Amino acid sequence: MEDIEDLLAGDGGVAPGFRLPVTSVGLNPKKKPMKSNLSVVQHPLQSIRIPGTQTIYIKTFGCSHNQSDSEYMAGQLSAYGYTLTDFPEEADLWLINTCTVKAPSQSAMDTLISKGKGANKPLVVAGCVPQGSRNIKELEGVSIVGVQQIDRVVEVVEETLKGHEVRLLNRKTLPALDLPKVRKNKFVEILPINVGCLGACTYCKTKHARGHLGSYTVDSLVQRVKTVIADGVREIWLSSEDTGAYGRDVGVNLPILLNAMIAELPSTGSTMLRVGMTNPPYILEHLKEIAEVLCHPSVYSFLHVPVQSGSNAVLTGMKREYTVEEFRIVVDTLTKLVPGMQIATDIICGFPGETDDDFSQTVELIKEYKFAQVHISQFYPRPGTPAARMKKVPSAIVKKRSRELTAVFESFTPYNGMEGLVERIWITDIAADGTHLVGHTKGYIQVLVNAPESLLGSSATVRITSVGRWSVFGEVIQVLSYNAQDRTLNKDELSCSRFSPSGVSDESCACSKDPDSCCSAAKCADTSEVPINSNQGKDDQNFDGPWKRNSLTFKASENTKFQEPNPEEQSGKARARASMAQWNIIDKSLVAGIFLSFLIAVACFSQLWARKVMSS
């Protein structure tokens, strides 16, 4: 089928989520109606499906940029009235957002499309696969929406539910950042700052889909930051195909954007900024400026910088536009200038032409830096890319190299020595075991704590109690900010945040504002505020650069509880003032009412007694 053009008159478009008439969207019916000589009278309401009342299942593959696109599409569908579900069998339509980076991701997409067709589910396929490979057979008979047409997903879904096949693939202006959005994690905003890239990597299929670099303006991104902070977001992830290339098409650069964003972050440190993946060529000239940003107390001291290979010969074949020596400059400079700096990287094993010596250089690079996070992939030829036509390394050798490098990487113990350290963390998620909450240090090390879900969205200081390969465990000492409020908890609120050693909220003390009602005031945590920049960088230097994988492969060693301050630190007068502070207007009214009732009872008793005396 031909690609469908945007046929709106004047190319002016309509408001996101506005339902267009059928003639405004290019479409083909899936089935032609059968001719009949019979005259059929149909009830006016028969077979009518009310738009916006169906249930939609959304499945996302791939990177954080894809996740953001799915959240925007979910927001528009929800705003229009559609119900979202996590259960595909309950849905009236499936929306599949695809990734073309690796063969396994596309294979998983193919399997899901086949299941949907087998279940007679209307299908809409979005993302990089249809945009970059629109004519593959797996996409026959399904509707597709391109990466720059996500603001029209409501139209596509609506027409698909009517039985039409719709294709919107034309590239146009970037989708607006203020579209409705349903975040997978309400505390995390994934903010795309640009689409596409300036590179021409021989193995990459993503550029076929995302295209050349297109950057959002600084003003539009800063406005989005303001909006999501007001919504209570605690982490802002900057996302793109190459963050470091931001702005080169519009006359600005990444440091300019980052400094503008930092100016809008709360001074309490309640919302953190995480800079996304950047390739080495585009930050070499800005290393000092980037380092200054990463030192800011409201920016994670973490950066994802892919190297892909430790061999310059392989990098040349990949057309990566940098050398191993330049990658080292990036890592060494940031590690030197940013206290506690953590760097993650990527490796591709078995790229065409990779020799044993090339691979040995990669292994030595990883051993030298002992990166705590390395994404290791086997080379997958992607159709239409130059690398797909190169002579391949035998698959058995590729698998062997991947296993060898993985074994080297997993032999590192990056968190050793962290036991006993006190760190500030930002808590934004629930761990895979359903028991622990997930927080991150300023170096973006994953810390798991036994705590009630009420602490989600909070910042806290924790003491590290045990370490593992992918994460560390900690006990909460003090809660610094709570949910959507940018401030330190007071003593009354902290008594409501207290939890038992088992990690489950202590019901007898969960909501009391009077410390003496369930525990002595001496057992409630000290709430003196810890300065945001209190030697955070110095503390981070006490361990060797770990980032982590979101995986639970080991057992917590200790239960968590709040630290108990010395009872002598609280005088009798202080406890009296704390007790009197609990007397609000309702309490006073109740006491007055009880006293008044007592007076009325006394008066009634006196009157009865007087009558009895007079009658006698």
Side-chain angles (χ1 to χ4, degrees):
M1 184 175 67
E2 297 291 334
D3 290 337
I4 301 302
E5 303 291 340
D6 188 338
L7 301 180
L8 287 175
D11 197 28
V14 295
F18 183 81
R19 184 164 62 93
L20 296 175
V22 173
T23 53
S24 296
V25 181
L27 50 88
N28 283 342
K30 289 184 177 179
K31 295 182 180 180
K32 295 182 178 179
M34 297 181 61
K35 294 182 179 180
S36 173
N37 294 324
L38 297 176
S39 176
V40 180
V41 178
Q42 191 174 27
H43 190 280
L45 298 180
Q46 188 175 347
S47 300
I48 290 180
R49 300 181 61 145
I50 301 174
T53 61
Q54 291 80 23
T55 301
I56 312 294
Y57 167 69
I58 301 177
K59 174 65 177 178
T60 306
F61 296 94
C63 64
S64 60
H65 197 162
N66 259 23
Q67 181 63 51
S68 178
D69 285 351
S70 289
E71 291 176 353
Y72 273 125
M73 289 189 285
Q76 293 171 85
L77 292 169
S78 180
Y80 191 67
Y82 291 106
T83 301
L84 306 178
T85 181
D86 292 328
F87 304 100
E89 63 276 2
E90 296 178 356
D92 298 302
L93 177 143
W94 293 3
L95 171 59
I96 306 171
N97 197 2
T98 61
C99 173
T100 190
V101 171
K102 300 178 183 179
S105 296
Q106 188 161 335
S107 178
M109 174 209 76
D110 296 343
T111 300
L112 190 59
I113 289 176
S114 296
K115 287 183 179 179
K117 289 179 177 178
N120 293 319
K121 299 289 186 181
L123 299 174
V124 175
V125 179
C128 293
V129 171
Q131 189 72 67
S133 305
R134 62 190 68 184
N135 295 320
I136 60 176
K137 64 178 182 179
E138 288 80 8
L139 297 178
E140 293 177 0
V142 304
S143 293
I144 58 180
V145 57
V147 295
Q148 291 186 23
Q149 298 274 18
I150 61 172
D151 55 349
R152 300 192 54 190
V153 66
V154 170
E155 303 166 44
V156 175
V157 164
E158 207 174 344
E159 297 303 331
T160 303
L161 285 168
K162 293 176 182 177
H164 302 132
E165 180 183 342
V166 183
R167 291 195 171 198
L168 289 176
L169 286 171
N170 259 15
R171 291 191 175 95
K172 53 172 190 173
T173 57
L174 300 178
L177 293 172
D178 59 353
L179 295 170
K181 196 171 192 179
V182 174
R183 300 184 189 92
K184 186 176 181 181
N185 183 332
K186 69 177 182 178
F187 298 112
V188 177
E189 166 73 5
I190 304 172
L191 179 56
I193 63 173
N194 54 265
V195 300
C197 68
L198 295 174
C201 300
T202 56
Y203 58 84
C204 183
K205 183 76 173 177
T206 303
K207 188 164 185 177
H208 293 199
R210 295 286 184 178
H212 198 66
L213 180 67
S215 302
Y216 286 96
T217 66
V218 172
D219 289 344
S220 64
L221 291 166
V222 169
Q223 182 57 49
R224 182 64 182 174
V225 166
K226 293 179 181 179
T227 300
V228 301
I229 290 174
D231 287 343
V233 161
R234 293 310 187 199
E235 288 186 1
I236 300 173
W237 298 358
L238 304 187
S239 178
S240 75
E241 283 63 56
D242 188 351
T243 303
Y246 169 79
R248 289 172 178 259
D249 56 324
V250 292
V252 292
N253 57 43
L254 184 59
I256 291 174
L257 173 65
L258 294 177
N259 283 300
M261 288 181 168
I262 287 172
E264 302 301 329
L265 298 178
S267 60
T268 57
S270 59
T271 300
M272 294 293 286
L273 188 68
R274 194 186 85 175
V275 182
M277 185 275 289
T278 180
N279 289 310
Y282 307 113
I283 60 168
L284 277 167
E285 64 185 276
H286 301 303
L287 281 178
K288 290 185 178 180
E289 295 95 323
I290 296 295
E292 289 178 3
V293 169
L294 295 174
C295 286
H296 191 278
S298 293
V299 180
Y300 285 119
S301 304
F302 164 79
L303 197 60
H304 178 194
V305 186
V307 64
Q308 305 299 8
S309 175
S311 165
N312 283 331
V314 174
L315 292 178
T316 299
M318 292 178 172
K319 209 171 181 180
R320 289 289 289 168
E321 300 179 343
Y322 60 87
T323 63
V324 176
E325 292 71 28
E326 289 172 327
F327 172 78
R328 288 177 181 273
I329 291 173
V330 172
V331 175
D332 294 343
T333 302
L334 293 179
T335 302
K336 177 182 178 181
L337 297 179
V338 183
M341 182 68 197
Q342 314 301 322
I343 293 178
T345 195
D346 299 347
I347 295 291
I348 296 175
C349 291
F351 184 82
E354 183 185 64
T355 65
D356 288 340
D357 183 61
D358 293 328
F359 178 68
S360 295
Q361 293 178 52
T362 298
V363 173
E364 290 305 312
L365 180 71
I366 300 303
K367 283 183 176 179
E368 177 183 348
Y369 284 99
K370 291 183 171 60
F371 298 107
Q373 177 67 7
V374 181
H375 304 105
I376 300 171
S377 302
Q378 298 177 31
F379 170 75
Y380 294 100
R382 307 303 296 133
T385 63
R389 300 188 295 271
M390 298 178 182
K391 186 177 180 180
K392 299 176 181 60
V393 176
S395 59
I397 295 178
V398 175
K399 292 178 181 178
K400 177 177 178 293
R401 290 174 180 172
S402 176
R403 287 194 296 268
E404 180 181 339
L405 186 59
T406 300
V408 169
F409 164 61
E410 292 185 347
S411 70
F412 303 152
T413 55
Y415 302 112
N416 281 1
M418 286 191 67
E419 296 94 334
L421 292 180
V422 174
E423 299 278 351
R424 180 174 182 176
I425 65 170
W426 289 261
I427 303 171
T428 57
D429 210 347
I430 300 174
D433 65 354
T435 300
H436 295 85
L437 299 186
V438 179
H440 294 95
T441 68
K442 189 175 187 302
Y444 212 68
I445 302 165
Q446 181 172 271
V447 181
L448 304 177
V449 294
N450 252 337
E453 291 186 20
S454 60
L455 292 191
L456 284 171
S458 300
S459 180
T461 53
V462 299
R463 178 176 289 107
I464 306 304
T465 58
S466 62
V467 303
R469 177 58 185 89
W470 313 113
S471 306
V472 301
F473 285 91
E475 62 178 5
V476 176
I477 298 173
Q478 176 188 352
V479 179
L480 299 178
S481 64
Y482 194 69
N483 290 338
Q485 302 176 22
D486 293 338
R487 57 186 174 81
T488 300
L489 286 178
N490 59 42
K491 289 182 173 62
D492 298 337
E493 293 168 310
L494 190 54
S495 68
C496 288
S497 301
R498 189 173 179 271
F499 49 90
S500 65
S502 66
V504 180
S505 181
D506 186 344
E507 295 299 333
S508 65
C509 189
C511 293
S512 173
K513 289 191 175 184
D514 182 1
D516 293 325
S517 67
C518 61
C519 58
S520 69
K523 292 184 179 180
C524 293
D526 180 17
T527 57
S528 57
E529 185 171 5
V530 175
I532 297 170
N533 59 350
S534 59
N535 297 322
Q536 176 68 50
K538 294 180 181 178
D539 290 340
D540 285 345
Q541 294 182 72
N542 292 331
F543 55 89
D544 181 21
W547 195 39
K548 81 297 140 233
R549 185 153 49 176
N550 189 14
S551 174
L552 296 174
T553 57
F554 52 94
K555 183 179 179 181
S557 62
E558 296 187 27
N559 294 321
T560 306
K561 59 183 179 180
F562 281 115
Q563 185 184 40
E564 298 180 359
N566 190 332
E568 295 179 0
E569 294 178 358
Q570 297 191 13
S571 66
K573 290 183 179 180
R575 287 196 297 271
R577 285 195 300 268
S579 178
M580 290 300 295
Q582 310 304 318
W583 285 72
N584 56 26
I585 185 64
I586 296 177
D587 296 326
K588 295 175 182 178
S589 299
L590 288 173
V591 171
I594 293 172
F595 183 68
L596 181 61
S597 299
F598 175 75
L599 293 178
I600 293 173
V602 170
C604 292
F605 180 77
S606 299
Q607 187 176 12
L608 290 172
W609 179 259
R611 288 181 180 178
K612 183 177 180 180
V613 170
M614 291 176 66
S615 62
S616 60

